Amino acid sequence: AQSVTQLDSQVPVFEEAPVELRCNYSSSVSVYLFWYVQYPNQGLQLLLKYLSGSTLVKGINGFEAEFNKSQTSFHLRKPSVHISDTAEYFCAVSGSGNTGKLIFGQGTTLQVKP
Amino acid sequence: DAMVIQNPRYQVTQFGKPVTLSCSQTLNHNVMYWYQQKSSQAPKLLFHYYDKDFNNEADTPDNFQSRRPNTSFCFLDIRSPGLGDAAMYLCATSRDPAPNEKLFFGSGTQLSVL
């Protein structure tokens, strides 16, 4: 079975500052890792995903994440945030044996202040 | 734009009164999912359809049912809603059920139970 822990429920940050949203997972099998973003009053949309290969994954809107197998982490980063990045961010994992079943973390609210 | 559409955005029902939530998609995807997201919690998979095959999660209450009359539409029926069923219900689709597939989400239906 897989599980996901997002360590911060809320992350306030000033505009143009860097940000890191933390995600740790547990799994007994190989995993695929995802970050989804949910803007206010919208559905979740995929930011980026790690399937295999390079551990540094680049996504949309300038976000990137690094898969660290030894630390079972998949932290999301952006070097300089904008007001428009204010949203809920969900880390998710699916195992190689599951049929498309995504296990989500509880989400981190990123609040970008001017 | 091809998308996943959920109606209504907000649904209010009475305790014990059956309610149906709807989802439609123009992506022609084979898989449709229903997730339940309670306040400040992770989205939780209730069930999914792979084409016409229904796949229920082991811990989904019997009170929750689903129908998929054709590729484009999928319904979530709650036979006797309780106060604990108040939540955001998210519909999602994917091209196929592989665990590395990207999911496309609707904007969700916020269900209130009075």
Side-chain angles (χ1 to χ4, degrees):
Chain A
Q2 293 88 37
S3 67
V4 179
T5 302
Q6 290 183 245
L7 297 164
D8 306 295
S9 59
Q10 293 188 346
V11 174
V13 64
F14 287 105
E15 193 173 19
E16 298 183 6
V19 70
E20 178 180 83
L21 306 184
R22 297 181 293 169
C23 173
N24 286 90
Y25 69 92
S26 66
S27 177
S28 57
V29 299
S30 297
V31 295
Y32 304 112
L33 292 157
F34 305 78
W35 276 98
Y36 281 81
V37 60
Q38 186 175 29
Y39 298 105
N41 298 314
Q42 295 185 27
L44 281 74
Q45 57 181 283
L46 183 66
L47 263 182
L48 48 79
K49 62 182 178 180
Y50 171 78
L51 303 182
S52 64
S54 173
T55 57
L56 184 62
V57 180
K58 294 189 182 298
I60 61 172
N61 300 340
F63 283 92
E64 63 181 32
E66 185 156 19
F67 171 60
N68 188 319
K69 188 174 182 179
S70 63
Q71 297 186 5
T72 60
S73 68
F74 190 56
H75 300 333
L76 181 70
R77 302 186 185 100
K78 186 170 182 177
S80 175
V81 295
H82 303 289
I83 295 287
S84 59
D85 292 323
T86 295
E88 187 87 9
Y89 291 80
F90 291 93
C91 183
V93 62
S94 66
S96 57
N98 286 344
T99 306
K101 179 177 177 177
L102 272 183
I103 306 297
F104 284 92
Q106 292 183 312
T108 297
T109 301
L110 176 62
Q111 301 165 323
V112 182
K113 303 176 181 179
Chain B
D1 288 343
M3 54 200 313
V4 181
I5 302 166
Q6 290 188 247
N7 285 307
R9 181 75 176 89
Y10 299 94
Q11 176 74 57
V12 180
T13 190
Q14 292 178 338
F15 183 93
K17 184 175 181 180
V19 65
T20 296
L21 309 182
S22 70
C23 176
S24 64
Q25 55 125 345
T26 60
L27 297 159
N28 203 33
H29 281 175
N30 292 315
V31 192
M32 296 187 77
Y33 307 84
W34 281 104
Y35 282 84
Q36 179 193 61
Q37 184 183 15
K38 295 186 177 180
S39 181
S40 301
Q41 296 185 23
K44 178 179 175 295
L45 182 63
L46 294 173
F47 28 57
H48 74 274
Y49 271 96
Y50 177 27
D51 196 11
K52 296 181 180 180
D53 292 332
F54 178 69
N55 298 271
N56 199 28
E57 293 300 301
D59 56 354
T60 298
D62 293 340
N63 199 24
F64 291 84
Q65 304 286 324
S66 186
R67 296 171 283 136
R68 189 178 185 187
N70 53 53
T71 300
S72 301
F73 285 87
C74 194
F75 300 98
L76 170 62
D77 300 310
I78 309 177
R79 292 191 297 185
S80 181
L83 298 179
D85 297 327
M88 174 72 81
Y89 290 88
L90 301 170
C91 174
T93 72
S94 65
R95 188 177 46 190
D96 63 51
N100 58 351
E101 277 288 311
K102 173 183 175 180
L103 267 61
F104 294 78
F105 283 84
S107 299
T109 293
Q110 181 68 52
L111 177 69
S112 299
V113 182
L114 304 180

